[in-house]
């Protein structure tokens, strides 16, 4: 089996880019191919989330092949929501590993800033479950609900959680200040973080990666270079939040990591630094736990303790991460790989010498995740072979039952958020919660009032036009409830006698 | 290197399917996995053109993984316009050939019939070049323009061309009558063909594949079965028609075929039967030439001579093809493979014994094409190794120049069509033509009048809101033209003298 090496990397300056999408891709391609110093590329693998709706570009693989001036070259478009760049790397890796191609150019890119925030939010919200979207849920809303549950499960106070999230944002912005290709190249202050508005409680503006244009390119080759792609893995997770069993980690990352570690024959302890998908600051914390860098519930402490800073035991997002480098969705998974390769080569600000780096990319709400391990070939023996694949690497192949008729009229809040930046057609503030019904099922629901929300709160449910609405049970309602139950029991008491008389003998 | 085999195939009944897209995919998956009799699949490769705009489904890889009940399994979405099903097969093939996975499930599908014809046409037209779309061009319009040019170049009379196209339609409908999964299972008569309306001259309704829902599935495995995937290749072509050098064949098919033949160590003469992408009847004729089955310009004669019928030397589209089986765009490239495998196994109506079959899939207007060769493993020695890839297989890696300022005010019709089924916002009949300017460039233009169109006709050009319009030069205009040129020459004659007087000395 063929080992796979990185021959060249490149990326555009992330941020607002006035050029058409094809030109942005084209620049990344030229930079990567130029760095690889190759005269020939066998095929293109292109990761992009939704050019159809972002820029009106369909048939993007042929479009990009044309734009690069490689008409005739085989070109595939790969898509797995916001991890599309990493997905394209996976497909390109398999193409070289098979021996079918010798050198492929992997590209990832997206153009988004020409849309309004609300329009871009609507397109991005397309990646979440339809039923949850109908409630007005967005990616920030679902990320916020996971965060609220994570806080409760990990027994972290509200203020300590805020400090943890703030620490991630401050670290990544400080790192981004050293990255000339980052969208934001300015450190931010604690005061600015706490002054920033809530997007969806408990997430503030500074907890969310920005809307960005950009593209990244990686040339993979079967010829040995200084950096080897030594491990790669992928896992998927349940699309909807309400059908999940776990809200405080991403099983898809664990599946992907297990595969990548096994292939590279290493464990989390052998990783020197990582680029982690911090589309939201809590995702960085959760992902460092899923990757095995820190125990569950302890990722936030690690940030506060400086473990993920440059001088720490496991530097995370030295590039600034999605938070400061920016997040052109289809590009991010590949931009991470570009950053890891540059850092391994000592081409970035860090000046620390590393042997092995990891990139972790998240698709949607952790529904399609990738882990890639890259290492210097002069630093350690490279595995030339790896065991034949299988899905014994922890994939959770369970059958998802079809949703039964959902007619519960009450339940308990499992987690919640108040959404301040809503998609088209929904007015802020919008209270959203996952409600656990008496039968144990979860339902995404819209609050009729955004006050008195907390995990464990009892609520009433009703349905209008397929959307589930909840009202918090007040004290008076609880008394009324108890009275009604008593009344129903009393009213029901004499009934059996009368009925027995009329029963057939 | 790992050989790749087909372990199981399945597809849904094509046609109007009321179920959601995920359920249609789910049925194809169950049929293919059931036929493969496997207890475990390592990954999913999903081909689909535009679920975002057809059905509002984003993040489709995770959605399908969930729907099939394989949450956690790695799942990639692959897209190359209307060849997406074949593209997913390519990616799945490379995954097994690399040894990274042992068994993958490849799926292709689309849901389209719930949209109006004009809305579906708009989404499908997204795959063509933006500038050509702005003129009102659709896939049928561009296919028609290629056909008109093909007729002229091959020196075929209008009536003989009609007979050729009619023969393809009649053959494929007659074949489809034997296919229980085809959308149309009824032979049609010559009179019905000629009574059907023009969609875009010279193409009638019966020259165009229908709008269809459906999905297909193929399980690929590293374990030997009765059918081997012995060759596969891909090529891309220029996106726009106006930037092409060739209008009468698809170079992308030639590139793909060269690679597939080389890998399988066979030539066109060794192919026993084929499934060819007949989205339009002339595409079947052109593709059989590009594949090397018949010389250029002779594909139509082959159909009239019965060579592509069941009893012929090279039966084409025994399944009914896209024309009669239906064309759920993302499914078609994979459905062809399903049909080839079934035919090799003797599970179809044909009763002829075949050793080796070929499937050819076309993305967009021949911009991203695939050729796959499948053969019975008990019928011939199977290549266990194939040479390392390269792009020396004929890919035309030329740089496409950026469009220069197009200010020509006259030109000559290179090819044309009259479009009767127009996309939203354009009224039929719509005359469209490729105009060759005096500088040798091609421009897509809208006719101000649909009469007097023929290849070689001189026209005037003008531009309104970025759309180029043409008017046929009439006899009177030509006289006026000649007069104006004479007048301008006369008026210009004394000028140099006057100018010289005022020139600085």
């Amino acid at each position: 089996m063929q080992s796979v090496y990185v021959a060249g990397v490149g990326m555009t300056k992330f941020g607002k880019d006035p050029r058409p999408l094809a030109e942005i891709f084209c620049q990344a391609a030229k930079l990567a191919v130029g760095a690889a110093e190759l005269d020939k590329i066998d095929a293109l693998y292109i990761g992009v989330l939704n050019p159809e709706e972002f820029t009106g570009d369909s048939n993007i693989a042929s479009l990009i092949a044309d734009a690069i001036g490689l008409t005739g070259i085989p070109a595939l478009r790969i898509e797995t929501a916001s991890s599309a760049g990493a997905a394209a790397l996976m497909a390109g890796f398999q193409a070289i590993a098979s021996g079918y191609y010798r050198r492929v150019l992997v590209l990832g890119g997206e153009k988004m800033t020409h849309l309004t925030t609300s329009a871009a939010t609507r397109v991005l919200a397309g990646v979440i479950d339809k039923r949850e979207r109908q409630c007005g849920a967005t990616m920030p809303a679902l990320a916020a609900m996971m965060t609220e549950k994570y806080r409760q499960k990990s027994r972290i106070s509200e203020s300590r959680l805020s400090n943890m999230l703030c620490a991630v944002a401050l670290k990544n912005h400080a790192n981004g200040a050293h990255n000339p290709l980052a969208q934001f190249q300015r450190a931010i202050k604690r005061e600015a973080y706490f002054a920033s508005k809530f997007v969806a409680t408990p997430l503030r503006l500074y907890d969310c990666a920005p809307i960005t244009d950009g593209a990244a390119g990686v040339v993979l080759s079967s010829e040995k270079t200084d950096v080897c792609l030594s491990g790669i893995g992928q896992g998927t997770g349940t699309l909807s939040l309400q059908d999940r069993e776990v809200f405080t980690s991403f099983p898809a990352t664990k599946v992907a990591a297990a595969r990548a570690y096994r292939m590279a024959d290493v464990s989390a302890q052998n990783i020197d630094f990582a680029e982690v998908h911090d589309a939201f600051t809590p995702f960085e914390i959760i992902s460092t736990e899923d990757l095995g860098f820190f125990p569950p519930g302890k990722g936030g402490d690690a940030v506060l303790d400086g473990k993920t800073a440059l001088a720490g035991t496991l530097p995370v997002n030295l590039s600034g991460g999605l938070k400061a480098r920016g997040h052109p969705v289809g590009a991010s998974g590949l931009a991470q790989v570009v950053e890891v390769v540059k850092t391994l080569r000592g081409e970035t600000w860090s000046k620390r010498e590393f042997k092995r780096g990891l990139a972790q990319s998240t698709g949607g709400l952790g529904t399609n995740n990738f882990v890639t391990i890259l290492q210097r070939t002069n630093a350690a023996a490279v595995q030339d072979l790896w065991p034949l694949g299988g899905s014994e690497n922890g994939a959770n192949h369970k059958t998802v039952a079809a949703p039964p008729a959902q007619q519960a009229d009450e339940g308990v809040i499992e987690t919640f958020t108040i959404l301040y930046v809503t998609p088209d057609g929904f007015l802020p503030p919008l209270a959203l919660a996952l409600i656990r019904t008496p039968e144990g099922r979860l339902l995404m629901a819209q609050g009729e009032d955004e006050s008195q929300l907390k995990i464990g709160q009892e609520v009433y449910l009703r349905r209008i036009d397929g959307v589930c609405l909840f009202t918090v049970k007040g004290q008076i309602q609880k008394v009324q409830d108890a009275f009604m139950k008593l009344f129903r029991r009393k009213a029901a008491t004499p009934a059996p006698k009368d009925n027995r008389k009329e029963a057939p003998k």
Side-chain angles (χ1 to χ4, degrees), chain A residues 61-298:
Chain A
S62 294
L63 181 73
I64 301 299
D66 256 16
I68 299 175
L70 293 178
T71 302
I73 199 172
L76 290 184
R77 180 262 189 108
I78 320 281
E79 183 267 322
T80 54
S82 45
S83 57
L89 189 82
M90 170 65 97
F93 160 80
Q94 291 174 347
I96 303 260
S98 69
Y100 189 86
Y101 292 128
R102 261 195 272 237
R103 298 138 171 186
V104 304
L105 170 58
V106 183
L107 296 172
E110 209 87 45
K111 185 174 167 73
M112 311 160 70
T113 65
H114 58 294
L115 298 181
T116 62
T117 299
S118 122
T121 300
R122 187 195 59 73
V123 176
L124 290 172
V127 308
I128 67 179
D129 182 81
K130 264 186 187 170
R131 296 162 294 167
E132 299 184 351
R133 234 186 295 156
Q134 278 173 353
C135 279
T138 59
M139 277 296 294
L142 299 188
M145 292 167 90
M146 282 189 67
T147 308
E148 194 61 39
K149 188 72 190 171
Y150 174 87
R151 184 183 75 74
Q152 185 239 14
K153 192 182 171 197
S154 307
R155 298 169 186 273
I156 299 170
S157 72
E158 280 187 29
S159 64
R160 188 163 173 84
L161 179 82
S162 300
N163 285 332
M164 288 168 170
L165 302 185
C166 174
V168 173
L170 263 54
K171 168 179 71 70
N172 292 356
H173 273 275
N175 289 347
H178 299 282
N179 185 348
L181 298 179
Q183 180 165 10
F184 302 123
Q185 299 174 29
R186 205 162 47 88
I188 58 165
K189 290 190 176 159
R190 190 180 154 78
E191 296 72 38
Y193 174 88
F194 282 99
S196 76
K197 288 187 180 163
F198 280 117
V199 171
T201 60
L203 303 183
R204 297 170 183 274
L205 182 64
Y206 276 129
D207 291 307
C208 306
I211 289 171
T212 312
D213 308 324
V218 171
V219 177
L220 295 178
S221 169
S222 58
E223 289 148 55
K224 190 171 175 180
T225 69
D226 58 334
V227 176
C228 176
L229 197 168
S230 57
I232 187 163
Q234 180 191 6
T236 57
T238 309
L239 193 65
S240 70
L241 202 60
Q242 64 190 19
D243 291 333
R244 293 188 190 183
E245 285 159 18
V246 177
F247 310 114
T248 54
S249 88
F250 293 123
T253 301
K254 294 180 179 175
V255 170
R259 177 73 196 237
Y261 288 144
R262 188 158 58 90
M263 177 177 151
D265 199 17
V266 297
S267 70
Q269 286 68 48
N270 304 115
I271 301 298
D272 299 328
F273 70 103
E275 288 286 321
V276 170
H277 190 99
D278 58 329
F280 304 99
T281 51
F283 281 15
E284 176 173 316
I285 293 172
I286 288 172
S287 297
T288 55
E289 297 173 9
D290 291 336
L291 289 164
F293 298 151
F294 307 112
K298 299 298 174 193

Side-chain angles (χ1 to χ4, degrees), chain A residues 213-447:
Chain A
D213 308 324
V218 171
V219 177
L220 295 178
S221 169
S222 58
E223 289 148 55
K224 190 171 175 180
T225 69
D226 58 334
V227 176
C228 176
L229 197 168
S230 57
I232 187 163
Q234 180 191 6
T236 57
T238 309
L239 193 65
S240 70
L241 202 60
Q242 64 190 19
D243 291 333
R244 293 188 190 183
E245 285 159 18
V246 177
F247 310 114
T248 54
S249 88
F250 293 123
T253 301
K254 294 180 179 175
V255 170
R259 177 73 196 237
Y261 288 144
R262 188 158 58 90
M263 177 177 151
D265 199 17
V266 297
S267 70
Q269 286 68 48
N270 304 115
I271 301 298
D272 299 328
F273 70 103
E275 288 286 321
V276 170
H277 190 99
D278 58 329
F280 304 99
T281 51
F283 281 15
E284 176 173 316
I285 293 172
I286 288 172
S287 297
T288 55
E289 297 173 9
D290 291 336
L291 289 164
F293 298 151
F294 307 112
K298 299 298 174 193
D301 293 332
V303 181
L304 288 178
D305 296 348
K307 289 180 181 167
T308 58
L310 174 59
T313 51
L314 194 114
V316 172
N317 288 330
L318 289 173
S319 69
L322 278 53
K323 183 73 206 70
R325 186 179 62 236
H327 185 24
V329 282
S332 285
L334 203 62
Q336 294 179 320
V337 172
V338 171
E339 303 283 5
V340 169
V341 171
K342 283 184 176 177
T343 305
L344 284 172
R345 288 179 173 161
E347 295 170 4
T348 59
W349 68 284
S350 72
K351 306 296 173 209
R352 265 185 73 174
E353 199 170 296
F354 298 110
K355 286 182 192 173
R356 194 180 285 113
L358 177 150
Q360 180 276 322
S361 183
T362 299
L365 194 75
T367 59
N368 210 331
N369 299 5
F370 292 81
V371 171
T372 307
I373 299 170
L374 298 133
Q375 61 185 54
R376 291 224 317 273
T377 49
N378 53 355
V382 170
Q383 294 282 105
D384 258 331
L385 293 170
W386 56 88
L388 261 177
S391 50
E392 62 278 22
N393 49 8
N396 174 23
H397 291 193
K398 68 176 180 62
T399 301
V400 176
Q406 297 160 344
Q407 292 303 334
D409 58 2
E410 58 180 13
V412 173
I413 293 180
E414 184 80 18
T415 185
F416 67 94
T417 188
I418 300 168
L419 186 60
Y420 288 95
V421 180
T422 52
D424 288 347
F426 294 87
L427 287 178
L430 178 65
L432 292 172
L434 272 186
I435 309 295
R436 175 82 66 185
T437 66
E439 312 86 61
R441 275 195 52 82
L442 284 172
L443 283 177
M444 179 67 70
Q446 247 180 43

Side-chain angles (χ1 to χ4, degrees), chain A residues 496-505:
Chain A
K497 289 178 186 168
D498 298 330
N499 285 345
R500 263 196 301 259
K501 281 176 188 166
E502 289 172 12
K505 290 171 189 179

